[in-house]
Structure formats: structure tokens, C-alpha cells
Amino acid sequence: MQENIELTKKRAYELFDNKIIDTFEVGTFKGLQQIHQYIFQDVFDFAGKIRTVNLSKGNFRFAPVRFLESNLEIIEKMPESDFDSIIEKYVEMNVAHPFREGNGRATRIWLDLIFKSNMGMCIDWSKIDKEEYLSAMERSPINSLEIKVLLKGALTERINDRQVYMRGIQRSYEYEGYYTK
């Protein structure tokens, strides 16, 4: 397990270091698939593939498989014109949860790509407490104000800063309960 975590984290770093991330579509499901496939290519045979099983976490059920593809088409068409609309799109993609595993890690990178492209900013994830983030995300389908406040306070213009990106990857793994070097 630890080896898989390190391998996927290495791939996430490669996205930035080798400028692979710059070749991916921004704000589309295809772009999210590209991120997911690249990060998880060594550990999941379903890397980048839409899930075929229903998923839930705690008492929350993600989008049912039978509606997943149509939901993804709707999400893809959502606007990205300002901070609020970008976060709404992010929340909806989280509810869709299109992959069997690795949604959070891939979707946070996808969100930063949207911010970079549309606002010249990204999230400094190291400024966001794990428990506050998870709690806000859990409530976001009902009320997204909390996650908006949390993320807005962590926006930075340091979009090409390797340290910001690397700390973001590290934090993303911590959010998922993976603590690595």
C-alpha cells in the first residue's frame, strides 16, 4: 500500500515537473480523466475510467452509475467565469465522483487547473485544515458557502510555484488519510 501511495505521488509530481499538466484539457471531464489516468496508471487498471459501481462514503451516496455519464455532461457545461461558479462546478464533480478511487486527489488538481486558466490563481492547499476541508466538502452539496470561504482564503497568484504545487499534493494525500514522506 505504501509503495502505491509513493508511486502515485511521484506521478502527481511529474505532472508539474515535466509540464504534462499543461497538455491536459481544462475544466472538462476529459481533462479530469487525463489527470486521474496519469496519476494512477501504475496502480489501478481502472485509472481514468468511469466507475461502473455505485459508491457511498458514510451516509453520502455519490451519483448513481445509471446517471453518471449524463451528470458529467451537465457538469462539463457549467460555467467557470468567476470564483463562485468554479467552486459550484468543483462541488458537483465531487458529488459525481466519477472514479472508483482517487477522486479527491485528481479533482483538486483539476480545480487548480480551472483556477489557473480562468483567474490566474490556484489554491495553496497547505493553508487549509484537513478537518475543516472535509467537513465543508461534506456539507457543500447542500450549502457551498463554507467551502467557498475556506478556499477563497487560500487563493494565491503563485500558480507556477513548485513549492505551492508540491505542498498541495502532500496535503491532498493527507486529506485522504495517507501520510507519507
Side-chain angles (χ1 to χ4, degrees):
M1 177 66 157
Q2 186 67 29
E3 182 180 304
N4 288 348
I5 294 167
E6 291 301 328
L7 196 52
T8 61
K9 207 166 155 189
K10 177 182 172 262
R11 290 288 190 186
Y13 291 154
E14 288 174 6
L15 286 176
F16 185 88
D17 287 339
N18 299 335
K19 300 192 184 319
I20 297 164
I21 198 78
D22 297 338
T23 67
F24 293 166
E25 287 190 14
V26 177
T28 66
F29 176 63
K30 180 181 178 186
L32 180 59
Q33 282 182 299
Q34 291 170 313
I35 294 165
H36 191 273
Q37 195 284 323
Y38 192 85
I39 293 173
F40 298 107
Q41 65 183 306
D42 303 305
V43 295
F44 299 141
D45 59 356
F46 57 82
K49 296 178 184 164
I50 295 175
R51 65 180 162 87
T52 56
V53 296
N54 288 320
L55 293 178
S56 62
K57 196 173 198 174
N59 292 326
F60 188 82
R61 293 182 189 272
F62 296 107
V65 169
R66 66 181 169 175
F67 301 120
L68 187 53
E69 287 193 43
S70 61
N71 285 2
L72 291 170
E73 289 173 16
I74 292 166
I75 294 166
E76 189 160 307
K77 293 175 185 169
M78 291 177 73
E80 304 167 7
S81 54
D82 58 21
F83 177 84
D84 286 344
S85 64
I86 292 169
I87 297 300
E88 293 299 330
K89 188 169 188 167
Y90 173 62
V91 166
E92 291 302 318
M93 189 59 80
N94 183 60
V95 172
H97 234 67
F99 310 112
R100 283 180 42 197
E101 177 66 39
N103 289 280
R105 287 166 280 170
T107 307
R108 283 185 284 275
I109 294 170
W110 180 77
L111 173 65
D112 273 335
L113 277 180
I114 296 171
F115 273 133
K116 286 176 188 180
S117 178
N118 293 292
M119 295 180 61
M121 302 185 92
C122 66
I123 305 290
D124 183 344
W125 294 98
S126 69
K127 294 182 177 180
I128 300 174
D129 177 77
K130 174 184 175 178
E131 297 308 319
E132 288 180 22
Y133 170 77
L134 294 175
S135 178
M137 283 304 290
E138 188 176 307
R139 290 190 283 278
S140 66
I142 296 162
N143 184 344
S144 60
L145 180 61
E146 188 178 355
I147 194 67
K148 287 177 181 177
V149 168
L150 196 61
L151 295 180
K152 193 169 227 169
L155 278 175
T156 179
E157 293 177 350
R158 296 169 56 195
I159 60 173
N160 296 313
D161 187 317
R162 186 178 190 275
Q163 277 192 318
V164 169
Y165 179 84
M166 298 303 171
R167 285 192 315 247
I169 297 300
Q170 178 65 32
R171 186 60 127 195
S172 194
Y173 277 75
E174 291 170 6
Y175 293 157
E176 302 301 325
Y178 304 123
Y179 295 90
T180 61
K181 36 183 169 159

